[in-house]
């Protein structure tokens, strides 16, 4: 060998966003002047600079070059020990390659962002908010969520209360702010509060928000009650002035009409009774018995008002997986003689994939979201989606870039996303089918 290469610091530490330098010494043990080409190998190569990149060394002497490591401050560079090597290739004797090996220890850093939406909610019994938390650091980070209001007029619930985010991961936390007292009447009241996102070993992020409490009873309730009383009085006056006399006369006339045949039958029975005692007794018995009223079948109960006939609970999970640049779908078809009513939709992106997700009902797109905006996203539909019999519900994903694969998942780097549909199915009435 005519070339030797060694590092003055085989183990070196570097903080993301800063620069760390070590020296590489190259010795020429040959008999001629040698020029060397230097190349860094390993995970550190994209952000390592060799200064200078080429070197000429006289026989029997040595020279040094500087290795400048500049790891970016990003979640893509993990906090770990990264082995690397520098390949020294002589121009005159390329077959005599020398390799110097070392380890760069990338130090951890913590950085998070947090955002709450909506900033202000409203409702009679409180509001619902979502806090988006993103770990921009290069280590896994436990995060706790808390909230407080200055007047202690709210109580809070979180889902989940604590979470652990991997490097570069994001998650959503649902925050429910509920007033401690009921507002029966009056003007709406704004209740401000603060949400604290507290990552471990890092300063907390404070998010200002508020909820507007609406009164349970509308402000014009007194006017509505007064108008209802007036309408009831007017209806009573019309009844007594116009309808009651007419109804009474009709009732008397109907009574006389119904009793006339009975009176004639009674007279005939009395005449027959004078002829014979036995016949009179039978006639009296026949005339005195009132005809039995015909039985009337009672209508069966119709059940709960508004409840769909034959409704059954429904839950179906759609799943699709595909590589970068592909589009995959999963479809559910409504069975014959059934109508599907979708009331809740939960979207899941557990890997943090990037791309697009569409929910298509009978060929029409009803929901489009970007995968990189959520991990878990649920919708409670105010107006449920009805899907007729034989029609389809399709989840379509277009994979831009897959996230880190789930533990135990097979198939390599793929986008894996899901949609949970909940609601109920009801039987289609015969008239509707015809």
């Amino acid at each position: 060998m005519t070339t030797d290469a060694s590092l003055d610091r085989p183990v070196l530490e570097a903080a993301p966003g800063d620069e760390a330098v070590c020296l590489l010494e190259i010795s020429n043990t040959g008999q001629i002047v040698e020029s060397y080409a230097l190349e860094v190998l390993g995970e550190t190569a994209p952000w390592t600079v060799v200064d200078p990149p080429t070197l000429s060394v006289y026989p029997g002497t040595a020279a040094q070059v500087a290795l400048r490591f500049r790891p970016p401050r990003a979640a893509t560079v993990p906090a770990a020990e990264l082995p690397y090597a520098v390949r020294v290739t002589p121009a005159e004797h390329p077959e005599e390659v020398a390799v110097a090996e070392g380890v760069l220890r990338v130090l951890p850093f913590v950085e998070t962002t947090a955002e709450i939406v909506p900033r202000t909610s409203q409702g009679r019994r409180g509001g619902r908010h979502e806090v988006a938390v993103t770990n921009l650091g290069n280590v896994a980070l436990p995060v706790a969520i808390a909230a407080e209001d200055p007047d202690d007029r709210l109580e809070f619930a979180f889902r989940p209360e604590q979470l652990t985010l991997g490097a570069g991961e994001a998650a959503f936390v649902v925050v429910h702010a509920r007033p401690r007292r009921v507002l029966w009447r009056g003007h709406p009241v704004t209740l401000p509060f603060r949400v604290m996102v507290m990552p471990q070993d890092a300063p907390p992020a404070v998010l200002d928000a508020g909820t507007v409490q609406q009164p349970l009873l509308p402000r014009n309730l007194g006017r509505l009650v007064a108008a209802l009383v007036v309408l009831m009085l007017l209806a009573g006056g019309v009844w007594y002035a116009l309808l009651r006399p007419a109804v009474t006369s009709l009732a008397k006339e109907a009574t006389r009409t119904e009793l006339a045949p009975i009176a004639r039958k009674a007279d005939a029975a009395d005449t027959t009774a004078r002829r014979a005692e036995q016949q009179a007794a039978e006639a009296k018995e026949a005339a005195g018995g009132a005809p039995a009223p015909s039985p009337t079948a009672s209508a069966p109960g119709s059940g709960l008002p508004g409840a769909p006939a034959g409704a059954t609970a429904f839950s179906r999970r759609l799943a699709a997986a595909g590589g970068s640049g592909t589009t995959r779908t999963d479809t559910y078809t409504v069975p014959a003689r059934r109508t599907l009513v979708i009331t809740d939709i939960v979207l899941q992106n557990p890997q943090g994939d990037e791309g697009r997700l569409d929910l298509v009902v009978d060929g029409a797109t009803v929901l489009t979201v970007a995968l990189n905006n959520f991990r878990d996203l649920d919708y409670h539909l105010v107006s449920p989606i009805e899907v007729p019999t034989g029609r389809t519900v399709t989840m379509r994903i277009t994979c831009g870039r897959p996230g880190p694969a789930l533990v135990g998942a097979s198939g390599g780097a793929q986008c894996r996303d899901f949609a949970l549909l909940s609601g109920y199915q009801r039987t289609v009435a015969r008239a509707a089918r015809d």
Side-chain angles (χ1 to χ4, degrees):
M1 291 288 292
T2 61
T3 302
D4 291 327
S6 62
L7 296 169
D8 68 333
R9 299 168 66 185
V11 178
L12 185 65
E13 291 186 350
D18 294 336
E19 180 181 272
V21 180
C22 72
L23 298 178
L24 172 66
E25 185 175 282
I26 302 173
S27 300
N28 182 3
T29 60
Q31 303 298 321
I32 61 174
V33 177
E34 189 69 81
S35 296
Y36 299 98
L38 307 177
E39 182 184 4
V40 179
L41 307 176
E43 295 183 47
T44 66
W47 33 266
T48 301
V49 176
V50 180
D51 186 17
T54 60
L55 185 67
S56 296
V57 182
Y58 287 96
T61 63
Q64 293 181 334
V65 296
L67 301 180
R68 303 183 185 277
F69 299 93
R70 298 167 182 170
R73 188 177 176 86
T76 55
V77 180
E81 291 187 351
L82 305 180
Y84 69 93
V86 181
R87 181 165 55 195
V88 181
T89 304
E92 301 299 331
H93 300 86
E95 72 282 356
E96 298 183 1
V97 175
V99 177
E101 298 180 348
V103 174
L104 180 67
R105 183 176 299 132
V106 179
L107 300 178
F109 77 96
V110 176
E111 183 177 349
T112 60
T113 61
E115 182 181 3
I116 186 169
V117 289
R119 182 64 59 87
T120 303
S121 63
Q122 59 180 343
R124 292 181 173 84
R125 294 297 297 159
R128 180 180 183 274
H129 303 254
E130 285 189 346
V131 177
V133 185
T134 304
N135 179 12
L136 302 179
N138 62 351
V139 291
L141 186 64
V143 179
I145 306 295
E148 64 179 9
D149 65 295
D151 300 322
D152 196 25
R153 291 188 291 177
L154 294 171
E155 55 185 16
F156 302 94
F158 308 95
R159 191 181 63 190
E161 294 183 357
Q162 293 185 344
L163 65 159
T164 298
L165 299 177
E169 288 187 352
F172 287 88
V173 178
V174 177
V175 179
H176 290 277
R178 182 183 295 271
R180 297 181 184 274
R181 295 184 179 181
V182 177
L183 180 62
W184 293 102
R185 296 185 59 187
H187 297 278
V189 177
T190 300
L191 304 175
F193 63 91
R194 298 188 302 173
V195 176
M196 283 76 71
V197 179
M198 299 175 291
Q200 184 176 351
D201 300 329
V206 180
L207 306 175
D208 293 322
T211 181
V212 179
Q213 185 180 10
Q214 302 287 346
L216 288 179
L217 302 179
R219 297 178 58 185
N220 58 350
L221 180 62
R223 297 179 182 178
L224 294 177
V225 173
L228 182 61
V229 171
V230 171
L231 289 176
M232 293 177 62
L233 293 176
L234 289 176
V238 171
W239 165 260
Y240 279 100
L242 300 177
L243 298 179
R244 188 171 181 273
V247 171
T248 302
S249 300
L250 291 175
K252 291 181 179 179
E253 184 66 26
T255 301
R256 286 195 295 268
T257 302
E258 294 292 333
L259 291 179
I262 298 177
R264 288 195 296 270
K265 290 182 180 180
D267 292 340
D270 290 340
T271 302
T272 305
R274 296 189 190 97
R275 295 176 182 177
E277 182 178 355
Q278 183 176 1
Q279 293 180 356
E282 294 176 355
K284 291 179 181 179
E285 182 178 359
S294 60
T296 303
S298 59
S302 60
L304 295 174
T312 57
F314 172 84
S315 179
R316 179 63 178 260
R317 191 187 195 210
L318 304 179
S324 177
T326 63
T327 299
R328 296 291 184 266
T329 62
D330 191 9
T331 301
Y332 173 76
T333 303
V334 180
R337 299 186 179 181
R338 304 291 285 177
T339 294
L340 172 61
V341 179
I342 302 175
T343 60
D344 294 89
I345 301 174
V346 178
L347 306 180
Q348 295 178 318
N349 178 16
Q351 296 182 164
D353 302 326
E354 296 183 6
R356 169 174 172 168
L357 185 149
D358 298 291
L359 190 66
V360 182
V361 177
D362 193 24
T365 302
V366 299
L367 182 63
T368 298
V369 293
L371 292 175
N372 49 312
N373 286 345
F374 72 95
R375 283 302 183 93
D376 294 282
L377 188 59
D378 57 345
Y379 294 91
H380 304 285
L381 303 181
V382 177
S383 299
I385 300 174
E386 291 197 12
V387 187
T389 180
R391 306 299 173 85
T392 60
V393 181
T394 302
M395 182 192 72
R396 180 175 63 224
I397 65 167
T398 302
C399 181
R401 186 175 68 178
L406 299 175
V407 176
S410 60
Q414 291 185 334
C415 292
R416 294 179 175 84
D417 305 287
F418 312 90
L420 177 63
L421 310 179
S422 302
Y424 58 86
Q425 288 186 343
R426 62 189 181 196
T427 304
V428 180
R430 183 178 297 275
R433 296 197 306 269
D434 297 340

